[in-house]
Amino acid sequence: MAFVKADLSLVSYSGNGFHIWHYKSNDASTVIDGAGYFNDMANEMNVGDVIFANTDVDGTPVYGMFAVNANDGSTVDVANVVSLSGSDSD
């Protein structure tokens, strides 16, 4: 699938260029962490921004965080997801 701008929300802006975002998608986290997925946001996302994400929500959901690790002004890349899904042993 593709990035859906309507599913991205700005949670916090610190005033020094750092943003915290939230994104919900039917796409798997392995799709989202591909270079270019967030290209439509190249003018707004900065290296170091954090994206809390709910991914693959229509399949096997993964909850986690991505960090923007590159943005050359046209191509945005994020690091692999850090999963917050964890396990529930009870």
Side-chain angles (χ1 to χ4, degrees):
M1 292 190 62
F3 170 66
V4 178
K5 192 171 185 176
D7 291 334
L8 180 72
S9 302
L10 180 61
V11 176
S12 179
Y13 173 65
S14 67
N16 65 0
F18 175 75
H19 303 87
I20 298 173
W21 304 88
H22 179 264
Y23 187 58
K24 179 183 83 170
S25 178
N26 291 334
D27 292 340
S29 59
T30 54
V31 172
I32 293 170
D33 71 18
Y37 187 88
F38 288 106
N39 284 354
D40 288 348
M41 298 300 295
N43 290 330
E44 297 180 52
M45 285 187 168
N46 299 313
V47 172
D49 283 3
V50 174
I51 305 164
F52 285 91
N54 299 4
T55 67
D56 199 9
V57 296
D58 64 345
T60 304
V62 172
Y63 311 104
M65 297 183 305
F66 296 96
V68 177
N69 63 4
N71 181 350
D72 66 7
S74 59
T75 302
V76 177
D77 193 13
V78 297
N80 293 351
V81 69
V82 174
S83 178
L84 299 174
S85 296
S87 59
D88 186 6
S89 60
D90 60 326

